[in-house]
Amino acid sequence: MRTYIIIIINPIFLALEVDEMAVRSFCERWLVNGIQEDYKNWLPRGVEGHQKASRIFIESPTGTGKSSFVLNKLFPFAAENNYNVLYLTNRSALNQQMRNTVAQKLEGKDEVDFYLPGSFCRLTVINYQAISLNPTALETFLNDYAYIVFDEAHFFIEDSLFNAKTGLLLKSVLDALPDAVWIFLSATLDGSEELLLAAADKIQPNNLVDANLNKVVFKEHCIVYKNNYQSAVYTPSFFRGIDDLMLVINRTVGEKWLIFVSSIQRGKALQQRIKKETGRKAVFLSSENKADKRWKTLSTEERYDEDVLITTKVLDNGVNISDKGVRHIVIPFCDQTEFMQMLGRRRTDEGERVCLYVEVPTIQKINTLRHGVAAKRNAINRVNSVNRCNLNKRNALLAKMWEAGRKDINSLFYINEAGDLVPNFLAEKKLKQLSDFYGTLAAHYKEGACYEKTVLTWIKMEDSEPVYLGQIGSEDIIGFLSHWDGEKIQMAEWENFYK
């Protein structure tokens, strides 16, 4: 079946003819148990008659073995058929962790290329940022790879609000390797697969081997795998101010905390307050101190020594924390992708219980964020509305934005070889998602607990009612006790229950 998608936000993706994707859902502790041996049917273009190159999207929670699947199953299969695999990562910490893991099983002749014993086929591990955007250099580099794995594939959309070239990077890589198998991995695809597939089909709209038989497709080649597994059992509590949290932090001596904050300023202030009011050891990590020895320990040993680790979203992917002493996670107001990435930093065993604290936004905060998103969308719309042939008008707009100190210039736009001011089309997609999300919350804010109930669906607790720090009502008692069935209730939770 063929469907047609019309995307009017960018001429690159107009009138795209897109293959309908097959969706396969399962619930498995390990991804490989859900995929089984399907990967043996993921083939480059033309390996079997009338067969398109495979486009694979895999959404599976953190800690379910996505990278292990590539290393232990996909790469050996590719090497057996004399194919090389390129593995792309989005953060230096994730890149280093992947290289460390690969080096334990494969032979490494340098820092990026790894081989199976006795094989000339290689697995190359590099960052997205290391990819050259020079078309000739990129095509030469990618020419040897039949499989390309895009790890943390949400990177293209999530980073688009501060990296203007994520869309250009995606297009450049796909342009240079149209006949390879593309495998997009993430714990949070959130519909990104439709946009990625649209790009894929535009680049190779009719990639059948025999044009005279273009109505015949040998196998399904566009497949989405969704693993609905959740290892941890979360005990969520919602809070509106940091004062509520301080009481719990003070009472949970011997248990570690992982606290995400929305800004560097808030992180530094919280670190000082925790030290002063509780006497507990707290450390703050952000992009400013990634050279700190604590960051190295966190990346290599997946633990930290302090009682409380406070961090910005710099930690939201690429770093795993396996420290069982970390029993409490705090997440600021954010959308689903950021939320699940932050939550997934703490690797959990099946059935392990973790206390989760979620910030509830004020209507003022929601409206402020809506205003910021609207301003960025307006900036993109103004640039799109300028006639590309009218250089004077375009230059005047650029000068006006520059003089106004608009950060949007560097975060949302890039200047191409022709001198045009070009918006990141993926940023347009992300801004639309945020606009809809904030708009829905604002519209239903007076109804109460809109965000709280939304969060509960994200962690598969949609049948539960929100519980607030220090505000457990009698109607919640049965639900509260059911959360702790067969488990030891922590002192802080007993005190909340008593209140």
Side-chain angles (χ1 to χ4, degrees):
M1 180 182 293
R2 308 288 287 185
T3 58
Y4 291 84
I5 297 178
I6 307 298
I7 300 179
I8 61 174
I9 58 175
N10 191 292
I12 296 175
F13 296 99
L14 288 180
L16 307 184
E17 188 180 2
V18 182
D19 284 298
E20 196 165 278
M21 293 179 287
V23 178
R24 300 181 185 175
S25 298
F26 49 87
C27 184
E28 295 286 350
R29 174 67 181 90
W30 301 110
L31 174 65
V32 66
N33 294 334
I35 292 179
Q36 299 180 350
E37 294 192 344
D38 282 13
Y39 62 90
K40 294 181 179 180
N41 295 323
W42 305 345
L43 301 173
R45 181 177 81 142
V47 174
E48 299 185 26
H50 321 311
Q51 170 250 318
K52 295 183 177 184
S54 297
R55 310 302 187 221
I56 307 300
F57 301 84
I58 300 175
E59 183 176 71
S60 188
T62 55
T64 53
K66 292 188 290 295
S67 57
S68 297
F69 163 74
V70 173
L71 177 60
N72 298 326
K73 294 294 183 179
L74 181 67
F75 178 53
F77 171 76
E80 184 180 320
N81 291 278
N82 297 315
Y83 293 134
N84 297 323
V85 176
L86 176 63
Y87 192 100
L88 297 174
T89 61
N90 67 330
R91 298 286 187 267
S92 57
L94 177 60
N95 185 270
Q96 190 58 54
Q97 284 186 346
M98 184 60 183
R99 290 180 183 178
N100 292 342
T101 300
V102 172
Q104 295 174 8
K105 296 192 175 184
L106 303 179
E107 297 176 350
K109 296 184 179 180
D110 52 39
E111 292 185 351
V112 299
D113 294 314
F114 301 88
Y115 301 81
L116 286 169
S119 172
F120 293 102
C121 295
R122 67 183 181 277
L123 172 68
T124 302
V125 182
I126 61 173
N127 269 3
Y128 291 112
Q129 293 82 354
I131 293 287
S132 170
L133 291 177
N134 179 286
T136 302
L138 183 60
E139 188 171 354
T140 301
F141 169 67
L142 293 178
N143 187 52
D144 291 336
Y145 297 98
Y147 291 80
I148 180 166
V149 179
F150 300 88
D151 199 4
E152 306 289 0
H154 60 274
F155 152 83
F156 292 105
I157 294 179
E158 294 305 306
D159 281 27
S160 66
L161 298 187
F162 53 86
N163 179 351
K165 292 190 176 182
T166 61
L168 179 62
L169 173 62
L170 174 64
K171 184 178 183 303
S172 298
V173 172
L174 300 187
D175 271 334
L177 208 63
D179 296 335
V181 178
W182 300 338
I183 302 172
F184 299 92
L185 299 177
S186 178
T188 51
L189 280 177
D190 291 341
S192 301
E193 63 267 22
E194 284 88 356
L195 187 69
L196 295 172
L197 181 64
D201 247 45
K202 175 60 180 177
I203 291 161
Q204 193 69 24
N206 182 7
N207 60 353
L208 295 175
V209 177
D210 189 342
N212 295 322
L213 296 173
N214 60 12
K215 292 184 180 179
V216 179
V217 179
F218 189 81
K219 285 188 176 76
E220 288 179 315
H221 78 123
C222 302
I223 307 173
V224 178
Y225 293 89
K226 289 187 177 291
N227 186 4
N228 297 311
Y229 177 79
Q230 180 172 289
S231 59
V233 179
Y234 296 107
T235 304
S237 299
F238 295 90
F239 69 96
R240 293 185 173 85
I242 200 65
D243 290 342
D244 294 335
L245 269 183
M246 296 302 296
L247 295 173
V248 186
I249 293 174
N250 197 32
R251 291 196 299 259
T252 53
V253 177
E255 298 176 7
K256 293 183 180 181
W257 285 69
L258 172 61
I259 303 178
F260 288 94
V261 292
S262 56
S263 69
I264 291 176
Q265 293 75 15
R266 292 189 69 179
K268 290 180 177 179
L270 181 57
Q271 179 191 21
Q272 295 304 315
R273 183 171 177 182
I274 289 175
K275 287 181 176 180
K276 181 179 179 180
E277 296 184 19
T278 71
R280 304 190 68 177
K281 294 180 180 179
V283 62
F284 173 62
L285 292 181
S286 71
S287 57
E288 292 182 343
N289 55 4
K290 290 183 70 172
D292 192 293
K293 63 180 182 180
R294 294 184 180 89
W295 182 267
K296 184 176 181 181
T297 300
L298 196 62
S299 300
T300 58
E301 301 180 24
E302 301 185 357
R303 65 172 184 84
Y304 52 91
D305 295 324
E306 293 75 15
D307 299 325
V308 182
L309 171 61
I310 307 165
T311 179
T312 59
K313 65 173 294 184
V314 68
L315 196 76
D316 71 351
N317 55 62
V319 174
N320 302 323
I321 298 174
S322 300
D323 190 341
K324 301 302 180 186
V326 179
R327 299 293 307 276
H328 306 269
I329 301 175
V330 181
I331 299 181
F333 170 61
C334 57
D335 67 359
Q336 183 177 4
T337 299
E338 287 190 342
F339 184 95
M340 297 307 296
Q341 286 295 328
M342 292 176 187
L343 188 61
R345 290 314 93 212
R346 168 65 161 88
R347 295 300 171 90
T348 55
D349 293 331
E350 187 167 6
E352 185 176 1
R353 189 172 294 279
V354 176
C355 296
L356 174 63
Y357 308 87
V358 182
E359 179 188 22
V360 178
T362 63
I363 187 61
Q364 291 82 2
K365 183 166 188 173
I366 294 173
N367 285 332
T368 297
L369 291 171
R370 289 180 71 193
H371 177 76
V373 166
K376 291 179 179 180
R377 296 185 76 189
N378 288 336
I380 291 176
N381 291 336
R382 289 177 65 194
V383 172
N384 285 339
S385 67
V386 174
N387 189 329
R388 292 184 179 275
C389 298
N390 192 335
L391 295 180
N392 291 333
K393 195 171 182 179
R394 180 188 63 78
N395 290 337
L397 176 60
L398 176 60
K400 186 174 181 179
M401 294 174 66
W402 181 272
E403 291 170 0
R406 292 290 297 272
K407 295 181 180 179
D408 303 334
I409 292 180
N410 289 332
S411 62
L412 299 177
F413 302 93
Y414 66 94
I415 298 177
N416 65 13
E417 295 179 353
D420 293 326
L421 190 63
V422 183
N424 185 346
F425 73 94
L426 293 178
E428 298 178 76
K429 174 70 173 179
K430 179 61 180 179
L431 289 169
K432 176 62 166 61
Q433 289 178 344
L434 289 176
S435 178
D436 292 344
F437 176 60
Y438 297 146
T440 298
L441 293 182
H444 296 278
Y445 194 84
K446 290 184 179 181
E447 299 173 12
C450 179
Y451 179 65
E452 295 92 310
K453 291 178 181 178
T454 301
V455 167
L456 290 174
T457 66
W458 296 344
I459 58 174
K460 299 178 174 59
M461 293 181 63
E462 53 271 11
D463 294 331
S464 301
E465 288 297 320
V467 174
Y468 299 87
L469 282 181
Q471 296 179 11
I472 298 178
S474 59
E475 66 274 15
D476 301 315
I477 289 177
I478 299 301
F480 172 78
L481 291 177
S482 67
H483 289 324
W484 292 94
D485 186 22
E487 299 282 341
K488 179 182 178 181
I489 301 181
Q490 304 301 312
M491 181 56 68
E493 300 300 334
W494 268 123
E495 292 183 6
N496 281 340
F497 176 68
Y498 175 79
K499 291 178 183 179

